[in-house]
Amino acid sequence: MTVKELCEVCSLEAINLPDPEREVNGVYIGDLLSWVMGKAGYDNAWITIMSNVNVIAVATLTDVSCIILAEGVKLESDVLETAKQKEINVLSSPAPAYETAQRLFGKV
């Protein structure tokens, strides 16, 4: 499934979508950035509530297919600008991380 398809099927809002055809292969949920760096897999959708610029750096290092901000978390304009520069797909879900993961279950 692509990031664009994931957005549509799971009713996620696209905050930044420079690579909508990027494949999603699995899901990782976590907020401890050092842990995510060691555990998130290539092409995973990463669900988090963290929204600082370090999230963009971790997404770049781990090469996840997208960041999904749970609980309606928004990015500050400078963080969004960095996501645009680094071409990181960023989506948003109004639901908590667990419910967001439930939406993705069986689809990824």
Side-chain angles (χ1 to χ4, degrees):
M1 172 172 288
T2 67
V3 174
K4 181 181 177 183
E5 291 168 337
L6 186 70
C7 245
E8 294 167 0
V9 170
C10 297
S11 300
L12 302 170
E13 177 187 354
I15 304 297
N16 190 52
L17 204 56
D19 190 5
E21 299 305 315
R22 176 88 185 255
E23 288 294 320
V24 180
N25 181 16
V27 178
Y28 191 81
I29 305 169
D31 298 318
L32 184 59
L33 300 181
S34 60
W35 195 263
V36 174
M37 284 191 317
K39 302 290 183 178
Y42 173 78
D43 276 348
N44 280 179
W46 171 26
I47 301 172
T48 185
I49 59 166
M50 300 295 293
S51 63
N52 61 45
V53 72
N54 293 330
V55 171
I56 305 305
V58 170
T60 301
L61 287 170
T62 57
D63 207 10
V64 294
S65 60
C66 63
I67 300 168
I68 301 174
L69 301 171
E71 298 192 28
V73 169
K74 300 293 181 197
L75 295 178
E76 295 291 328
S77 60
D78 60 325
V79 179
L80 178 57
E81 187 57 37
T82 302
K84 288 178 180 179
Q85 290 172 359
K86 301 288 185 182
E87 297 185 341
I88 301 295
N89 291 318
V90 181
L91 313 176
S92 179
S93 170
Y98 177 74
E99 291 176 23
T100 300
Q102 284 181 315
R103 287 183 188 179
L104 277 61
F105 183 74
K107 296 174 180 69
V108 177

